[in-house]
Amino acid sequence: TCFSVVSINLTALGGLWPKTEAMRTRVSAIREGLGIFGLLLAVSLPSLLAPYMSKQASFQILCLALAGIAGITGLIFWRWWRGTRHTLTSTNTTTTPKTDIPLQIKSFYLIVALSILASSIPAILVVFFVRDLLGAGESTGAFLGLYFLSAILGLPLWTSLSRRIGKTRAWLASMVLAVFVFSWAFLLGAGDTWAFGMICLLSGIAFGADLSLPPARLGDLVSQNNVTSGASWLFGIYAFLGKAALAVASGLVLPILDFAGFQPDAVNSDSSLMALSIAYAAVPCGLKIFSAILLYRTLDIEDRLA
């Protein structure tokens, strides 16, 4: 609950950054990049401590370190907030009922929901795909690390591109890249680890756009539709879509794989492994294509309005 409150409001603060729309993208990119860096650091810390102490002791030190960091950063944030809250609060706002969401934002939510669902399905199945289809279970951590590090490295690319062609076009370009790269995963088989590593690298770069551009774009829509008074609630819906996508992906994909005869960490038939490939690569690419088509239609509307 506390994490949701913090993440929703930090996302809203970045999305409503008052200086320029380009600055919103930069703030979102830095926030998400540091978030991934912190995630990787937190995940790796117990492993780094493992040679020197027991597993239980390493996690105890991790908890103490995170508590200390949270306290220090909380004090820094409070000091910063006291000096900037007046400049971050818009005086030109309207009170918007929670049922009255502008059509542009509703369309944005639909695109985001499909895009996040397309990313959630591989996130749930990646362990099965790497271990049971590629036969490289011991490299799962390396693949995930490469994917998230590539996302961090891709953030400046999408920030720069969005300044040149706009957030919507840059986001659309990332979707095209993601589909082009990830569709090759459907063709992989046992031992294709180098090819999968390249897919992780390039699709990770595309994922960087999903981290930084949608919250910045939502901030633009909130400001353009003059509904900043309901910003936290609107960004709360955005955060909910991410959590709901994981739940929906798990509830749909895992039972379907079970029905197809796939068994984790076991010898599977060719047909069950084909079902895994379809679920891991083909279905997400189809969802991402549909999301890209909807995004392109909103781009066409934006061009006509301009």
Side-chain angles (χ1 to χ4, degrees):
T1 301
C2 291
F3 174 75
S4 294
V5 171
V6 170
S7 60
I8 288 169
N9 285 282
L10 279 179
T11 305
L13 280 173
L16 296 176
W17 206 261
K19 292 185 178 180
T20 63
E21 291 187 358
M23 183 61 74
R24 291 173 187 164
T25 306
R26 182 181 178 188
V27 169
S28 295
I30 294 174
R31 181 193 61 238
E32 298 300 332
L34 292 175
I36 295 179
F37 177 77
L39 172 67
L40 294 175
L41 186 62
V43 169
S44 61
L45 186 57
S47 298
L48 295 175
L49 295 175
Y52 308 101
M53 60 189 68
S54 66
K55 188 174 183 180
Q56 181 179 359
S58 66
F59 278 100
Q60 289 174 342
I61 289 180
L62 175 63
C63 291
L64 292 174
L66 295 180
I69 292 172
I72 294 171
T73 53
L75 291 174
I76 295 172
F77 176 80
W78 176 250
R79 182 179 179 183
W80 169 83
W81 175 243
R82 290 179 62 186
T84 59
R85 57 184 173 183
H86 298 297
T87 61
L88 290 172
T89 303
S90 173
T91 58
N92 184 24
T93 60
T94 58
T95 301
T96 304
K98 293 183 179 180
T99 56
D100 185 17
I101 301 176
L103 181 60
Q104 274 187 301
I105 297 180
K106 289 180 180 178
S107 300
F108 169 83
Y109 284 151
L110 177 58
I111 295 168
V112 165
L114 290 172
S115 181
I116 295 178
L117 183 60
S119 300
S120 298
I121 293 175
I124 291 169
L125 299 180
V126 63
V127 173
F128 303 149
F129 188 83
V130 173
R131 181 190 61 203
D132 300 319
L133 193 144
L134 297 182
E138 70 283 352
S139 301
T140 302
F143 288 135
L144 292 174
L146 177 62
Y147 178 78
F148 285 115
L149 285 174
S150 300
I152 295 175
L153 296 176
L155 289 171
L157 166 67
W158 301 115
T159 301
S160 176
L161 188 63
S162 68
R163 285 198 303 266
R164 294 175 179 271
I165 65 175
K167 296 183 183 69
T168 304
R169 285 183 171 83
W171 189 15
L172 182 60
S174 75
M175 289 185 180
V176 173
L177 174 62
V179 171
F180 175 76
V181 171
F182 205 70
S183 60
W184 291 96
F186 178 73
L187 304 176
L188 299 185
D192 292 333
T193 53
W194 283 103
F196 187 68
M198 287 300 300
I199 290 173
C200 290
L201 174 66
L202 297 175
S203 61
I205 292 175
F207 180 62
D210 283 336
L211 292 174
S212 59
L213 297 181
R217 179 58 185 150
L218 178 56
D220 294 345
L221 294 175
V222 168
S223 296
Q224 291 166 9
N225 289 275
N226 198 27
V227 289
T228 52
S229 60
S232 291
W233 178 71
L234 294 171
F235 277 95
I237 296 176
Y238 174 79
F240 169 78
L241 292 175
K243 301 177 189 300
L246 284 171
V248 170
S250 300
L252 289 178
V253 175
L254 295 179
I256 291 174
L257 283 179
D258 183 62
F259 179 77
F262 174 76
Q263 295 296 320
D265 201 16
V267 178
N268 288 280
S269 64
D270 292 340
S271 60
S272 62
L273 291 177
M274 175 59 70
L276 176 61
S277 293
I278 293 173
Y280 179 77
V283 172
C285 285
L287 290 171
K288 188 70 80 170
I289 290 173
F290 189 31
S291 178
I293 292 172
L294 294 177
L295 184 60
Y296 179 78
R297 291 185 62 184
T298 65
L299 180 62
D300 184 51
I301 294 172
E302 290 175 11
D303 289 341
R304 289 203 301 268
L305 292 175

